[in-house]
């Protein structure tokens, strides 16, 4: 499998009207700010969206976006396996915003930490808790070893089980007023 085409924020901004932009972050991350016009389809629900994305790709090019470019690259790989061509935004919304470009913020949306930051907090907290509890209960050090092993596995496979679990927490879900996945899929097929 070849690497997807990666566009810089400047290249993507110059051609933004040509794309159907899909943000694959968790709904809470999306609600805290996204590339203008982006629709939200979380990476863990992308397989449900393949037929709608195939329909959308027939009308315009797909640009996949996440926080840093890792999840959007994974999304491009998933779509390529379904014979859907898509591009990724290099550096994600972080690079987009870092270049001074505006993000859309839905009305009433609350800010949510980026998933990478949430993972670092959760992993670090579990490691420290395992080490501290290990002073009294030596077997608790296995918590730290398990988290460390999970981080190594995450790096080797370029996946993150902890991020998948954290994305299901209430504060990472879309606000009640946000458009649901079904409405997004319907809009893509229209």
């Amino acid at each position: 499998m070849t690497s997807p085409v990666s566009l810089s924020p400047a290249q993507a901004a110059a051609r933004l009207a040509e794309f159907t932009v899909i943000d694959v972050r968790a709904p809470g991350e999306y609600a805290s700010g996204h590339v203008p016009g982006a629709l939200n389809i979380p990476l863990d629900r992308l397989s449900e969206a393949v037929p709608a994305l195939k329909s959308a790709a027939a009308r315009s090019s797909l640009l996949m976006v996440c926080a840093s470019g890792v999840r959007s690259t994974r999304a491009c790989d998933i779509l390529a396996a379904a014979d859907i061509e898509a591009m990724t935004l290099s550096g994600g919304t972080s690079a987009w915003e870092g270049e001074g470009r505006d993000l859309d913020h839905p009305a009433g949306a609350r800010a949510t930490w980026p998933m990478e930051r949430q993972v670092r907090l959760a992993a670090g907290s579990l490691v420290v808790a395992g080490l501290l509890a290990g002073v009294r209960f030596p077997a608790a050090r296995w918590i730290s070893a398990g988290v460390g092993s999970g981080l190594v596995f995450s790096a080797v496979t370029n996946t993150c089980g902890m991020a998948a679990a954290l994305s299901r927490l209430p504060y990472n879900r879309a606000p009640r007023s946000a458009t649901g996945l079904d409405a997004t899929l319907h809009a893509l097929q229209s």
Side-chain angles (χ1 to χ4, degrees):
M1 191 176 302
T2 61
S3 296
V5 173
S6 182
L7 299 179
S8 71
Q11 291 170 319
R15 299 176 48 200
L16 197 57
E18 299 173 26
F19 295 113
T20 298
V21 183
I22 306 296
D23 191 318
V24 296
R25 297 178 296 161
E29 290 178 285
Y30 170 84
S32 66
H34 54 270
V35 171
L39 300 171
N40 184 225
I41 301 175
L43 184 60
D44 63 344
R45 303 214 38 210
L46 194 65
S47 60
E48 296 173 50
V50 166
L53 289 169
K54 190 171 277 229
S55 176
R59 292 187 306 277
S60 64
S61 298
L62 297 180
L63 178 64
M64 308 308 283
V65 179
C66 66
S68 65
V70 174
R71 286 178 278 179
S72 60
T73 299
R74 176 74 182 120
C76 288
D77 292 342
I78 292 168
L79 294 176
D83 294 323
I84 302 171
E85 192 174 312
M87 295 174 234
T88 184
L89 178 63
S90 179
T93 54
S94 299
W96 180 272
E97 190 174 30
E99 288 190 7
R101 301 186 191 288
D102 290 333
L103 295 176
D104 280 353
H105 299 275
R110 63 189 186 282
T112 301
W113 281 5
M115 189 57 63
E116 178 192 2
R117 187 174 180 191
Q118 292 180 46
V119 168
R120 289 192 322 251
L121 175 66
S125 298
L126 287 170
V127 167
V128 169
L131 291 174
L132 290 176
V135 171
R136 173 113 169 132
F137 306 102
R141 292 185 182 138
W142 285 105
I143 295 170
S144 300
V147 171
S149 298
L151 291 171
V152 169
F153 179 79
S154 176
V156 170
T157 62
N158 201 25
T159 62
C160 187
M162 188 176 289
L166 289 171
S167 71
R168 289 176 172 74
L169 293 175
Y171 58 82
N172 282 321
R173 293 190 188 140
R176 291 183 193 271
S177 63
T179 304
L181 181 61
D182 291 337
T184 299
L185 298 180
H186 182 22
L188 286 171
Q189 291 178 325
S190 303

